[in-house]
Amino acid sequence: MSEPIIEVNRRKVHVLETGSGAPLLYLHGFADVHSVKESWLPFHEQLAERARVIAPAHPGCAQTDENKDIESVEDVVFHYLEVLDALKLDHFDLVGSCVGGWIAAELAVRHPEKIRKLVLIGAAGLFVEGALIGDVFMNAQPEYGSSYASLRAMLFASADQPHALDMFPDGKGELEDEVRRYQMLRLSSRIGFKPPYFYNYSLRNRLHRIASPALIIWGEKDGMVPRAHGDVYAAGIPGAKLAIVRGAGHSPQAEKPEETAQLVSQFLSP
Amino acid sequence: MKPVQLFCWHFMAYPYLDKDFDEKEYTGWVTVPNRLWDNGKARGLYREYIDQLAYADELGFDGMVLNEHHQNIYGLMPSPNLIAAALSQCTSRGKIIILGNLLPLHLNPMRVAEEYAMLDQMSDGRLIAGFAPGGGPETFNYDIPSANTREKFWEAADLIVRSWTEDGPFAHEGRYFPLRYVNLWPKPLQKPFPPVWIPGSRSPSTMTEVAKRGYCYFLSSRSHGGQTHRAQQEFAQVLEKHGDKYHPFRFGILMSTYVAETDRQAREECEEGVWYFLKNCLKGHLRREGRQLTYGPGIPYIPAAAWREYLKGYKPGGKLLGDVENWDELDASQSIIVGSPETVTRRIQNLIEKAKVGNLLIQFQLGNMPNHLARKSMKLFAEKVAPALRHESLTYFDKEYPGVNVEQSAEAVH
């Protein structure tokens, strides 16, 4: 395991790495490493059995320095181009969940040559008429003084499943988990909390540029990014396959780790 | 030194909700269904409210206070500048305080600079210009991303003041509002520029930015326990750090009151309006019921380090003002002071001395309080409470702040 903090263009970037094999860049979503947990989820550990999994924390998340000039997903993509340079990654597998999936898709349409294979899990980023992306910010405000049930219901198949309660408990959770959750909302508000809400209108018509094989994974009961977005991703990326994870909500990587990791590993295997 | 300044604040609540509103509706803010708006009842409501403010001017209050809110039953003033324009023409004496225009909600800060300059001219120099960043609900009303709200806010506020004071045309090379030809017509009447007030909720960074610029700090809290006193002390320390000195007119607070002939009568007369205000108007804002939109992780406008500090002291599920269950709890919150002129005078004077505050922004009309009761309370206050407060506060300020010339404060000369 290497030193978790690297310096990129005079900013600190927190990068976790585990496993060995072909490089796999993982970009985190909400119920995830860096945005709740300090360490890997079982999902990542399973991926690491066959790959070198590299997970940077987004700008302002975990120990990555905040960058107040980030105002759009474009700025985040550029940040990651510099991270890739620093990590000397020029050809790799790319996996992203939710906001991380959006960033992954934006990266892939700009630099299709860098991506060996692409996996998007419940990815935000598209405008799909009649299928609004859910308001994670409103749901992050407590109800009845201390309940985060509606946030859990948005991010998981149900509000009372153990993973959901562990990562987004009512009241006050473990302090540093709370801070990481807040940091992820803050980063997300920079790129997603304004019209357009968590999407880039132009992305849809750029998806055809993606040249790598692509797997689109969606939770059967995604309460944040409607299933219709998965269909549009799958239809827009040439040759992409769509896989539905039964019983999962918006966070298959946390809810159904074994099944989701297996889908990803199988798809990535040479 | 001058006596305490007594301003009449009107929030312009929607007063026609049914009795089962709290039971049936999830919130009074942002998503409160607008099918509840009843034109049959609401016709003439703005006239009634504007007349109450004009009455405050007649009664000798030092000014009238307005503010900006959107999509709620708490305050029907998405554009306080419209009400201010009306007041500029039907009053002649008191200050018109707008606390304030929510700058991040305006596409271009020059619009605020222009409207405030117009209002200053229209009111013959009576404008007190408030700038506010907006709270949680407004973030959702207009989908304002929160992480850079504060920076945008201060860039806008500084641009407005620069446009009032510097000859144009000039180019503003800002991060958020770059403009090539800033050249304000009309200019404001007051020189060097209208007093600027900025609301805050004890955040050290807001206090620092206010102190740097010599503005008046207004504490936006509605309850006045030890926190109000602490806010005053903190702001005084920040001022000192910037080579400035605190005096009571650098600071303002919001409170509510109801005055009647006796304590008992006061409570009887205002109770319906008070509970309407607490349970309906504060639902979604200062209540645990439903979803509280005012502060929290979904509106992440403070840096993560500040959020960590806040969390350390945060106890989830704590009671907010709207959660009080009985009159004693309400009394203890020092938010709504109810009673005879003697009781109200004593309690407010106590608050003035504890908080060393010179600007009292007082809400009279609460919730669905009928017009005649609001006016009666205002009149009794003006006749029986205000003279005593002015006398006692002047004595107190003279003793506590000897030799301070408030007219030459940084706020006035800048």
Side-chain angles (χ1 to χ4, degrees):
Chain A
M1 182 130 175
S2 59
E3 175 61 40
I5 305 292
I6 62 169
E7 200 175 285
V8 178
N9 195 12
R10 294 185 301 282
R11 291 180 201 282
K12 282 189 294 179
V13 179
H14 186 182
V15 186
L16 287 178
E17 201 177 316
T18 182
S20 60
L24 184 166
L25 186 74
Y26 181 78
L27 299 179
H28 61 95
F30 285 104
D32 223 328
V33 61
H34 292 314
S35 41
V36 180
K37 296 294 183 185
E38 187 181 12
S39 54
W40 298 105
L41 309 185
F43 166 76
H44 306 103
E45 282 165 354
Q46 200 174 318
L47 291 183
E49 288 168 14
R50 300 205 218 165
R52 174 187 159 213
V53 181
I54 306 154
H58 300 320
C61 291
Q63 294 169 60
T64 300
D65 281 345
E66 183 158 43
N67 179 353
K68 68 186 175 70
D69 288 333
I70 284 181
E71 287 208 303
S72 69
V73 72
E74 175 73 35
D75 298 324
V76 182
V77 170
F78 204 86
H79 161 85
Y80 276 116
L81 289 177
E82 299 194 303
V83 171
L84 290 173
D85 288 347
L87 293 170
K88 301 191 169 49
L89 284 177
D90 52 12
H91 198 239
F92 53 92
D93 290 327
L94 179 58
V95 182
S97 169
C98 183
V99 173
W102 178 18
I103 299 165
E106 297 275 4
L107 195 61
V109 298
R110 285 166 177 75
H111 292 278
E113 76 286 354
K114 287 184 188 290
I115 317 297
R116 195 184 75 93
K117 289 185 178 179
L118 174 69
V119 180
L120 304 179
I121 305 172
L126 294 177
F127 170 72
V128 180
E129 202 176 335
L132 279 179
I133 295 175
D135 188 349
V136 71
F137 302 105
M138 174 76 85
N139 282 285
Q141 290 296 103
E143 288 177 291
Y144 308 101
S146 59
S147 166
Y148 291 100
S150 79
L151 181 61
R152 292 195 297 272
M154 173 162 273
L155 297 179
F156 301 86
S158 82
D160 50 8
Q161 61 172 256
H163 302 98
L165 287 162
D166 171 48
M167 294 179 109
F168 295 85
D170 289 334
K172 188 159 88 169
E174 200 274 310
L175 181 68
E176 293 306 321
D177 286 2
E178 291 274 359
V179 172
R180 277 186 287 271
R181 281 201 290 274
Y182 181 83
Q183 289 174 315
M184 181 60 180
L185 285 163
R186 188 164 155 91
L187 179 271
S188 304
S189 93
R190 291 184 184 278
I191 63 175
F193 191 162
K194 56 181 161 182
Y197 185 85
F198 276 123
Y199 68 82
N200 168 9
Y201 193 89
S202 305
L203 178 60
R204 189 170 178 167
N205 287 324
R206 293 174 179 172
L207 292 176
H208 69 91
R209 288 175 47 82
I210 297 176
S212 54
L215 174 66
I216 313 302
I217 297 178
W218 229 263
E220 182 192 8
K221 300 171 182 166
D222 193 319
M224 180 170 168
V225 186
R227 172 66 193 282
H229 292 242
D231 297 336
V232 174
Y233 268 121
I237 302 174
K241 280 180 281 193
L242 177 68
I244 302 300
V245 180
R246 298 247 166 263
H250 178 61
S251 311
Q253 75 281 3
E255 298 173 80
K256 300 280 178 189
E258 221 169 286
E259 193 181 334
T260 310
Q262 201 177 343
L263 274 172
V264 176
S265 288
Q266 247 167 28
F267 172 71
L268 295 182
S269 71
Chain B
M1 194 45 80
K2 59 182 178 182
V4 65
Q5 300 293 290
L6 303 165
F7 303 99
C8 174
W9 193 331
H10 212 307
F11 286 81
M12 307 202 168
Y14 184 76
Y16 305 118
L17 299 170
D18 288 339
K19 286 210 181 332
D20 57 2
F21 172 84
D22 184 25
E23 201 179 299
K24 279 191 170 161
E25 300 295 342
Y26 176 69
T27 185
W29 289 71
V30 183
T31 54
V32 54
N34 65 1
R35 66 173 156 72
L36 297 175
W37 178 272
D38 185 337
N39 260 335
K41 292 175 177 159
R43 199 166 177 177
L45 182 64
Y46 281 110
R47 165 65 71 187
E48 177 181 317
Y49 286 166
I50 289 168
D51 284 349
Q52 281 177 18
L53 283 163
Y55 186 50
D57 192 49
E58 246 174 72
L59 289 170
F61 280 86
D62 295 295
M64 300 144 274
V65 193
L66 313 168
N67 69 346
E68 175 175 341
H69 286 297
H70 300 256
Q71 295 179 203
N72 63 74
I73 56 159
Y74 172 93
L76 300 174
M77 264 188 291
S79 174
N81 300 1
L82 294 180
I83 306 294
L87 290 175
S88 76
Q89 302 306 295
C90 68
T91 66
S92 56
R93 216 189 38 78
K95 300 279 185 199
I96 298 173
I97 305 172
I98 304 175
L99 204 54
N101 277 195
L102 306 178
L103 301 185
L105 276 63
H106 293 263
L107 287 176
N108 189 327
M110 290 314 297
R111 180 62 181 232
V112 176
E114 290 167 342
E115 291 192 7
Y116 273 2
M118 283 179 71
L119 286 169
D120 201 40
Q121 292 291 346
M122 289 164 71
S123 66
D124 200 33
R126 290 186 286 144
L127 178 74
I128 291 179
F131 304 131
E138 291 79 23
T139 306
F140 292 108
N141 294 137
Y142 273 46
D143 274 351
I144 302 295
S146 357
N148 58 10
T149 300
R150 290 301 184 271
E151 283 165 33
K152 274 178 104 160
F153 169 77
W154 283 109
E155 183 183 326
D158 290 346
L159 169 60
I160 291 168
V161 172
R162 187 177 167 209
S163 78
W164 285 343
T165 48
E166 198 170 304
D167 287 339
F170 63 80
H172 170 66
E173 301 176 53
R175 169 80 178 81
Y176 299 106
F177 305 106
L179 287 165
R180 293 167 68 90
Y181 310 110
V182 179
N183 189 29
L184 198 77
W185 285 84
K187 285 183 168 184
L189 182 64
Q190 295 177 81
K191 291 293 161 217
F193 58 91
V196 172
W197 290 16
I198 308 275
S201 44
R202 279 185 70 204
S203 128
S205 73
T206 303
M207 286 189 183
T208 301
E209 298 302 320
V210 170
K212 272 194 219 163
R213 293 163 176 81
Y215 299 158
C216 173
Y217 182 77
F218 165 77
L219 182 70
S220 55
S221 168
R222 278 191 165 272
S223 304
H224 298 293
Q227 302 238 341
T228 303
H229 171 51
R230 272 199 293 283
Q232 180 275 325
Q233 285 181 320
E234 286 158 2
F235 185 54
Q237 281 166 9
V238 172
L239 282 174
E240 224 146 274
K241 230 168 64 191
H242 288 84
D244 206 341
K245 244 187 142 59
Y246 179 86
H247 65 68
F249 301 96
R250 306 298 299 270
F251 185 46
I253 62 169
L254 156 65
M255 48 161 297
S256 309
T257 192
Y258 187 83
V259 193
E261 288 71 5
T262 66
D263 285 349
R264 195 170 147 198
Q265 191 182 340
R267 179 170 162 184
E268 276 170 15
E269 286 175 357
C270 77
E271 206 158 351
E272 190 188 338
V274 165
W275 290 113
Y276 184 106
F277 172 74
L278 293 172
K279 297 302 168 191
N280 299 345
C281 298
L282 297 186
K283 192 171 192 178
H285 173 36
L286 294 174
R287 267 189 86 184
R288 294 176 300 199
E289 286 305 302
R291 194 190 296 279
Q292 185 272 112
L293 294 179
T294 296
Y295 194 70
I299 359 151
Y301 62 81
I302 62 173
W307 181 251
R308 182 185 283 110
E309 288 311 304
Y310 163 77
L311 279 178
K312 284 179 185 167
Y314 166 68
K315 291 188 187 70
K319 268 191 185 179
L320 300 168
L321 176 61
D323 296 314
V324 298
E325 284 161 45
N326 55 54
W327 199 263
D328 288 343
E329 278 182 23
L330 177 63
D331 241 19
S333 73
Q334 303 248 47
S335 174
I336 306 176
I337 294 177
V338 175
S340 67
E342 297 70 35
T343 302
V344 170
T345 304
R346 175 173 48 77
R347 292 189 62 187
I348 295 182
Q349 180 58 26
N350 194 301
L351 192 55
I352 293 170
E353 294 186 11
K354 268 206 181 124
K356 303 186 189 316
V357 60
N359 296 308
L360 282 192
L361 283 58
I362 311 171
Q363 175 185 20
F364 286 88
Q365 201 278 342
L366 283 150
N368 63 350
M369 183 177 287
N371 189 31
H372 72 277
L373 290 180
R375 292 172 79 102
K376 181 167 84 86
S377 165
M378 287 164 64
K379 185 163 192 281
L380 265 177
F381 186 94
E383 287 172 355
K384 300 265 172 68
V385 178
L389 288 180
R390 288 189 174 118
H391 175 75
E392 288 180 38
S393 64
L394 187 58
T395 311
Y396 176 75
F397 292 157
D398 272 337
K399 187 180 79 194
E400 289 285 306
Y401 300 92
V404 175
N405 183 350
V406 294
E407 301 311 330
Q408 279 180 15
S409 68
E411 175 201 327
V413 295
H414 195 74

